[in-house]
Amino acid sequence: MALKTEFMALTIMTEMPMVLVDVQRGGPSTGLPTKVEQGDLLAAIFGTPGDAPKIVMAPSTIEDCFYSMITARKIAETFRTLVVVLSDANLATGQQAFPRPKFNEEWVGTPIDQSPVGKNKDAYDWDPKTGLSQRFIPGQPGGEYTLTGLAHTRKSKVAYEPGVNQEGCRARSLKLAAFQKTLKPPKVYGDPEGDLLIVGWGSTRGAIEEAVRNCREDGLKVSALHLRFLQPMASGIREILQRFKNVMTVEINYSDDMKDELIDEENRRYANLAWLLRARYLIDIDCWSNVHGQPIKPGAIEGMIHERLNHEVQS
Amino acid sequence: MFGLKNSCSILVDEEYKSMDDYQGGMSRWCPGCGDNGILSAVQRLCRDEQLPSEKTAFVSGIGCAARFPHYMATYGFHGLHGRALPTAQGIRIRRPDLHVFVNMGDGDCCSIGTAHWIHAVRMNLNMTAMLHDNNIYGLTKMQASPTTPQGMKTNTTPTGSALKALNPLTTTLGITNASFVAQVVEWIPELLYDVIRQAHHHKGFAFVRILQRCPHFMPTLWDGLLSHPDSLMMLQHEDGMHMSDALGKIYKNHETHDPSNIHRAREIAEREDVVPIGVLYRDENVPTYDELKRPARTPDIEQRRDLLETTFDRFGIFPGTSEVNIDGQA
């Protein structure tokens, strides 16, 4: 993804539909190139200089990878935007049997529109409410315009006037809000309230839910929440988080350990999703994460949950 | 008359595109900038070929030259510094029905875009690539580019450029699958037009280096060539550049060069005493990547379904059975 940053920004600025698959591996730099990590979430959302709104989603299983690509392509074309699909080395190299997909005509992209465009149409006829605009494709007579990565007017003319860039940024940002309105709130795995909610994303879903199931059988009031869309996030997540005494994320990326001598609440660096949730929902969300370059096993999560909840009971 | 209905001839007149019909926004290059001449030559080519503007795409990177697509009334893509070629290649692969032109500066092509340049030559996709070479980064106000002459003082080389300038002709001629390499100057409209026209008609990746004036930052750069017409060595051949007799009387340094001779082309490209002008090399037998890789047909929805089903079958497992047919029945 580091190498594709400028093209990501270009597709956002020009509003060209694009799906980018990032198979996350250990970082930074060449890091652990054959090992799993979930370290690119914040980079995917915020890693592009300037305001570069994009949609970020993460499949949780190999089956989900198949359908996520169809979904991502639909979203990219409908909202004329960049969709980043965060896979990881686990999903990319794993094997899993799943029910044979049944072909659906809706999977196939629509044919390229080559019909003539009416006179004096803008290359970006940004809808004031949704920021959406129609896209002219080479071959459409009357639609001729020049895509540019520079700030541009509705006619795609390079322009530096203050109002121009504000309008363009607003339109591109509103598209995310328009998309967000189509999302359903995620479902909680386990009871909708309790002592602890484990929030996860991507390939850790199976391990987290298995650990939560085992802990619930042991009588612990713990539930899990899996987020498929990370940017934007569906409405209703705050209400879910508020129904639990404690909320924490489990992720495969680095976060500071509070046991380290120099680490305190003022300087602690959180795991990727924990940062996001804390910023968005103003809830004190903890995290448990590591970068051993291995999938997190359900047993390890179980042990962590027991430790946390027993500690809660004692204190 | 001649069996033609009047209405037919009127229709032809209405559809005929003039140079004005290819003019997009008004150019904002500096007064005297050589890019204007290149724009005129290209618009003339579009008019003479009557290229459908909706089926023509100009692709550029970043720099002065990269403003080019904005001044054409066709589709355009003003993309990333150094990345004009991969963008154009993507367009070409996906849309073989489009006429694709690329406009790059010397910073664009020969510095940050060098890897793309080499592989674009090797892939030999059908397009016309113009290198607007003014030997300087002009848009950012005078920093040395790879083609800046040795010793030239610029903002990044205040004591003079230390390195010898890169030679885009020898570079291109050294790349596997080079199929069209030419050099021309923008201040001789007849030759500029002829070379760009031949590049457009070439089957494959046509690379044209255009020596371009930058009166603002490099006002004396080409003085030697302008005041000494013989310093331009005009390469002529029936398969190469054509020059009128009138022009031949001004530029007297002629050489007959067969563009199919790559060894001679490389020798000519190495010349430092004169500047070769014309088609140095042309080979239409080099396979183009679009020919090699273009799917024989675009599958319709039924064919797509079949292709997907075949793929599903390949990965399918059928629990509890040892021998199965593709319907999953033992």
Side-chain angles (χ1 to χ4, degrees), chain B residues 2 10-11 29 37 151 169 227 244:
Chain B
F2 306 120
I10 287 166
L11 193 64
W29 290 310
L169 295 179
S227 54
S244 65

Side-chain angles (χ1 to χ4, degrees), chain A residues 4-15 18 48-49 52 54 82 149 172, chain B residues 80:
Chain A
K4 300 299 170 197
T5 305
E6 62 174 352
F7 264 111
M8 287 164 71
L10 180 69
T11 62
I12 292 164
M13 190 58 139
T14 56
E15 302 190 48
M18 183 167 87
T48 324
K54 60 183 96 66
L82 166 64
R172 294 187 292 272
Chain B
L80 297 171

Side-chain angles (χ1 to χ4, degrees), chain A residues 38 198-200 204 208 248-252 288 296 301 304:
Chain A
Q38 295 180 311
I198 308 277
V199 190
T204 53
I208 291 174
M248 68 185 304
T249 68
V250 168
E251 306 173 55
I252 312 175
W288 184 76
I296 295 188
I301 303 174
M304 180 274 298

